[in-house]
Amino acid sequence: KTTILKIINGLLDADSGICRLGTNVQCGYYDQEHQVLDMNKTLFDEIQDTYPDMNNTKVRNVLAAFLFTNDDVFKKIGELSGGERGRVLLAKLMLSNANFLLLDEPTNGLDPAGIKELRDILKTLAHEENICVLVSSHLMSEMELMCDRVGIIVNGELISVQTVDELISSWQSDKKTYLLSVDNKETAFEALKGITEITVNEADEGIKVELPLEKEKELVKRMVDEGHLVCNHTKNHKDLTTLTKDEITRDLKDLEAAYHNLTGKEISK
């Protein structure tokens, strides 16, 4: 993923093919290591030294737009968190008049609050400033919240470009996927073998089961008849018959499930 972004930005030559940008497209590159920032400078100096024609008020206004106010602007970049450094880098990219931002794993090293701040800023740049943002990431759940459209690349080939909703719904037909957390995977696999038109795979959290909707009742009955206990999400063990369907199943209709269905691959962690 990083290689593709660097080729688009002109930092690497492609082994084959042509990468051609449209008229008046100006790229801004956000690298995951924040190497373009001087860790010994303050936020204020980082912006003013890069854009010396900006007066103090303009510098402060730009930093305020990225949530840096009052004395925050005089903090050294080396003292900032990963999320804060990311915001400084985005401020510099916006000032560069870039209208096509290339972001390489921008959520790396960020805590949940930092990820949300970054997500909100990127949405503002895209929807209000009309800046195109291309994000490279392996965090499907975050991309589902952040992106309007998603492209999936497998072995160097772009196999799908759709909106998030289109991608998730494109593979959902008359089948449903469940995640069962059972006390004994081996015997559970045996119990499920008798159900036709079912796909069963082992998952870290338990057993992943895909089957037609009309087989739903048969799945529950088979697990009960074979005496299996299922752990619900509060980690309390109960007999399956005492649990509601929502407690014993989790419908996996999300971007990660769509990716797995489309490529046959699990998400790399």
Side-chain angles (χ1 to χ4, degrees):
K1 301 186 295 293
T2 298
T3 300
I4 291 175
L5 295 189
K6 288 186 175 180
I7 290 173
I8 295 174
N9 199 39
L11 299 176
L12 285 177
D13 293 327
D15 294 331
S16 62
I18 298 174
C19 178
R20 184 183 295 115
L21 296 175
T23 305
N24 297 323
V25 173
Q26 296 187 47
C27 292
Y29 183 58
Y30 179 113
D31 73 289
Q32 54 185 296
E33 303 298 333
H34 303 154
Q35 293 177 353
V36 298
L37 298 177
D38 188 333
M39 298 298 156
N40 294 314
K41 288 184 178 180
T42 65
L43 284 69
F44 190 93
D45 289 339
E46 179 73 20
I47 300 298
Q48 194 167 60
D49 289 352
T50 306
Y51 302 98
D53 292 337
M54 291 179 62
N55 60 38
N56 292 358
T57 301
K58 178 65 174 176
V59 172
R60 279 186 170 274
N61 287 342
V62 168
L63 288 172
F66 288 85
L67 310 180
F68 296 110
T69 58
N70 301 322
D71 290 341
D72 288 344
V73 302
F74 299 115
K75 290 181 179 178
K76 286 193 174 182
I77 292 176
E79 299 172 354
L80 302 179
S81 67
E84 290 170 330
R85 291 177 191 174
R87 299 206 310 267
V88 176
L89 184 50
L90 284 174
K92 290 185 66 176
L93 291 178
M94 188 187 74
L95 290 170
S96 71
N97 293 320
N99 52 18
F100 183 24
L101 301 186
L102 306 167
L103 278 60
D104 187 11
E105 298 284 359
T107 57
N108 269 8
L110 303 189
D111 60 19
I115 291 176
K116 185 181 184 306
E117 288 175 356
L118 178 65
R119 183 199 311 147
D120 292 343
I121 288 173
L122 291 179
K123 284 185 172 182
T124 298
L125 292 176
H127 297 154
E128 297 181 17
E129 301 296 332
N130 201 30
I131 293 175
C132 179
V133 182
L134 178 61
V135 180
S136 165
S137 178
H138 66 278
L139 296 178
M140 295 293 115
S141 59
E142 183 53 39
M143 294 304 97
E144 190 171 339
L145 296 173
M146 183 184 294
C147 298
D148 299 309
R149 297 175 64 81
V150 175
I152 292 179
I153 297 174
V154 178
N155 297 325
E157 180 182 356
L158 184 65
I159 65 172
S160 177
V161 180
Q162 301 179 73
T163 67
V164 173
D165 288 341
E166 288 171 346
L167 187 58
I168 292 175
S169 62
S170 64
W171 63 273
Q172 294 169 1
S173 54
D174 59 344
K175 290 190 175 182
K176 202 166 186 179
T177 304
Y178 299 98
L179 183 67
L180 304 181
S181 182
V182 298
D183 57 329
N184 188 312
K185 289 184 182 181
E186 184 176 346
T187 55
F189 269 106
E190 289 297 321
L192 294 170
K193 279 184 177 179
I195 303 178
T196 58
E197 301 180 69
I198 185 173
T199 302
V200 183
N201 292 293
E202 186 171 354
D204 291 340
E205 304 93 331
I207 295 177
K208 191 181 294 184
V209 180
E210 182 181 348
L211 75 168
L213 297 179
E214 63 269 18
K215 298 287 184 177
E216 193 174 70
K217 290 182 179 179
E218 185 178 353
L219 167 68
V220 176
K221 183 177 184 301
R222 182 64 61 94
M223 298 298 286
V224 173
D225 288 347
E226 296 294 329
H228 282 284
L229 297 178
V230 175
C231 177
N232 70 4
H233 294 296
T234 61
K235 305 302 181 183
N236 295 322
H237 287 78
K238 303 177 182 178
D239 189 288
L240 185 60
T241 56
T242 68
L243 298 177
T244 66
K245 184 168 64 178
D246 288 338
E247 286 178 315
I248 67 171
T249 65
R250 184 182 69 182
D251 191 359
L252 298 176
K253 292 183 179 178
D254 57 19
L255 190 58
E256 182 169 341
Y259 173 93
H260 175 67
N261 184 80
L262 191 62
T263 65
K265 298 180 177 181
E266 297 288 354
I267 303 296
S268 59
K269 302 297 183 183

